Amino acid sequence: MNTRASQPSAPSALAPSSPARRRQTIVATTIGNGLEFFDFTVYGFLALVIGKLFFPTFSSYGQLLLTVASFGVGFIMRPLGGIVIGAYADRAGRKKAMTLTIFLMALGCALIAFTPTYASIGVAAPVVIVLARLIQGFSAGGEVGASTTLLVEHATPANRGYMASWQFASQGLGVMLGAVVVGALTFSLTPEAMQSWGWRVPFVLGMLIAPVGMYIRRHLEESLHIAPEDAKAPRESSLKIVCTQHGRTVLAAILALVGGTTAAYVVTFYMPTYAVRELGLTPSVALFGAALTGLLSFALAPLVGKWSDIVGRKTLILWSRIVMAILIYPGFLWLNASPTPGVLFTVLGVLSIGLVVQTVPGITMLPEMFPKRVRASGMSLVYSVGVALFGGFAPFISTWLVNATGSKLAPAWYLVAMTLVSLLGLLWLRDHTGRDIDAANAHAPA
């Protein structure tokens, strides 16, 4: 009996890409993704300057709190962006979705780059900044799902970890470039020049993402192929399919994502502000530390991706999180006892390595959990919700905890708690390492 005839038509499978085509996909995705994350994250490195210019009526603590809160506001829109753009990627294709995210991110950068400060237009200034962050959050929510799905679908079962690792490597590239640009400006300009016009330069550079990203991504090979008759036929909502047929997977995956995403945003984006405000280090030193975390992510991610293809995703995530939970508090304790550049770089380096080892297999597992017809939607929903709830506001929570408890070690305990909680979600997830994720029963309930 031919059972295929009784099933709803689905997108046809993509033939395995050639090595040359996979390299082209890696280069195009990494550069475009890196530019997107440069745009989205450079705001965090300018938190102290933006706070003074757009929230001047508050105390220095209030300025910082509101600035990191507006950084987190960008994550509020991530779930919506993940749902809308993820569904678009599952219907129209991964390439079209990735082109859309590029232009939205560039628009957010333009708004920030040219918005007058509070001194010029009053309360309208922070309102526009928040609007820009909402647009950028919407874009980022769809970008990760579409780009990671594209990478995974161009891979073979034996190298999916390596292919997906370039998504996280590109994030590291964006962070490194953002830290280097802001660090160079901070080092070369006077504080007055930095506050007058220097802080706008990274956002003007970020606007280049639109033409550069379009040129790079138009040569990508689409991984989702839909027959013309299927494209015209009515189709059930991707979000409905994901939530009703894969609801338990979604909840477990979000819980498993907590540890990695909290660590990523505390280590990468909060630590530079923490080093300046709480430890008294210079902004240049703090930004060099952030650049180090980006460099390690970019350099190590592909190696960890290959490692996960050999030993399995869950094994690496489990042991790296246990090690992270053990090292976080001693690292913060040492840093507070000896707040020197060398100690800061050592602590950031060790925590960054642990972050890469747990995040690369984690970001590979997400698209592996869903069938092809809703893969981008499922991946985008899980990632954007997890990052929105626990990642984007991690700097805000860490800043608030230090002030509320009076302890500079409070962020360490917060990180430890989130890391341990995330292990619960990991227990309920299926490891698809080395398996064909497009097989008929690949995503049947366990």
Side-chain angles (χ1 to χ4, degrees):
M1 178 179 177
N2 186 359
T3 57
R4 290 179 61 86
S6 63
Q7 297 296 325
S9 59
S12 60
L14 179 71
S17 298
S18 66
R21 180 65 70 179
R22 285 198 292 269
R23 285 194 294 270
Q24 182 186 29
T25 302
I26 288 172
V27 171
T29 305
T30 300
I31 294 176
N33 242 358
L35 290 172
E36 281 238 20
F37 273 85
F38 171 88
D39 286 358
F40 188 73
T41 59
V42 74
Y43 183 93
F45 297 136
L46 291 164
L48 295 175
V49 176
I50 292 174
K52 293 178 181 179
L53 296 174
F54 288 89
F55 305 100
T57 60
F58 295 87
S59 65
S60 60
Y61 166 70
Q63 292 173 3
L64 176 61
L65 198 62
L66 286 171
T67 306
V68 295
S70 58
F71 176 78
V73 159
F75 293 82
I76 293 177
M77 290 295 285
R78 275 201 170 198
L80 182 59
I83 292 168
V84 174
I85 299 177
Y88 180 61
D90 283 329
R91 175 172 288 276
R94 320 313 188 196
K95 284 178 59 176
K96 290 183 178 179
M98 292 165 66
T99 301
L100 174 62
T101 62
I102 280 182
F103 283 107
L104 289 174
M105 189 65 72
L107 174 61
C109 264
L111 287 175
I112 297 174
F114 298 113
T115 297
T117 63
Y118 187 95
S120 299
I121 60 174
V123 73
V127 169
V128 174
I129 292 294
V130 170
L131 175 62
R133 291 298 296 168
L134 291 174
I135 294 172
Q136 289 186 320
F138 186 88
S139 170
E143 166 68 18
V144 175
S147 60
T148 309
T149 298
L150 183 79
L151 286 165
V152 164
E153 290 175 346
H154 276 286
T156 67
N159 68 3
R160 278 199 306 268
Y162 171 73
M163 287 292 289
S165 71
W166 287 97
Q167 155 59 234
F168 189 68
S170 67
Q171 294 186 31
L173 177 64
V175 170
M176 180 178 66
L177 291 175
V180 168
V181 169
V182 175
L185 289 168
T186 303
F187 179 79
S188 59
L189 298 178
T190 64
E192 293 75 18
M194 190 67 183
Q195 290 192 36
S196 175
W197 58 269
W199 69 273
R200 297 183 186 273
V201 172
F203 298 104
V204 173
L205 293 175
M207 292 167 56
L208 297 175
I209 186 174
V212 174
M214 172 61 86
Y215 175 78
I216 292 171
R217 289 185 170 180
R218 72 179 181 182
H219 298 294
L220 279 172
E221 180 184 16
E222 178 59 65
S223 64
L224 179 70
H225 299 289
I226 304 175
E229 61 272 16
D230 291 338
K232 296 177 182 178
R235 183 181 173 184
E236 191 175 7
S237 165
S238 298
L239 178 62
K240 181 179 178 181
I241 295 173
V242 169
C243 293
T244 57
Q245 299 181 20
H246 307 279
R248 285 186 294 182
T249 298
V250 168
L251 294 177
I254 291 174
L255 184 60
L257 195 65
V258 169
T261 190
T262 303
Y265 284 90
V266 169
V267 172
T268 305
F269 303 114
Y270 174 69
M271 288 293 282
T273 301
Y274 179 85
V276 174
R277 181 176 174 83
E278 306 296 340
L279 305 179
L281 296 175
T282 65
S284 297
V285 168
L287 288 165
F288 183 85
L292 175 64
T293 66
L295 175 62
L296 289 173
S297 297
F298 179 69
L300 298 179
L303 300 177
V304 175
K306 289 184 177 181
W307 191 13
S308 76
D309 284 325
I310 297 172
V311 304
R313 324 286 185 223
K314 291 179 70 171
T315 300
L316 284 186
I317 298 172
L318 174 64
W319 289 108
S320 63
R321 286 190 178 170
I322 291 175
V323 172
M324 280 281 284
I326 294 172
L327 294 179
I328 288 169
Y329 182 76
F332 269 79
L333 193 64
W334 184 29
L335 187 55
N336 278 270
S338 181
T340 63
V343 174
L344 175 66
F345 300 152
T346 301
V347 171
L348 283 176
V350 172
L351 293 181
S352 295
I353 292 172
L355 181 63
V356 176
V357 176
Q358 67 172 296
T359 303
V360 169
I363 207 169
T364 305
M365 285 185 72
L366 296 184
E368 290 180 322
M369 295 174 192
F370 301 98
K372 191 165 191 172
R373 62 176 180 155
V374 294
R375 184 165 293 146
S377 297
M379 161 78 186
S380 298
L381 177 65
V382 170
Y383 187 84
S384 58
V385 170
V387 171
L389 293 178
F390 304 102
F393 283 99
F396 175 85
I397 294 172
S398 299
T399 302
W400 176 80
L401 283 173
V402 170
N403 187 73
T405 64
S407 172
K408 296 180 180 180
L409 301 177
W413 290 116
Y414 172 61
L415 265 181
V416 171
M418 293 296 99
T419 300
L420 295 177
V421 166
S422 68
L423 294 177
L424 297 176
L426 188 64
L427 297 176
W428 296 323
L429 295 178
R430 180 185 296 178
D431 194 334
H432 291 278
T433 302
R435 299 175 182 174
D436 182 2
I437 57 174
D438 291 323
N441 296 318
H443 302 94

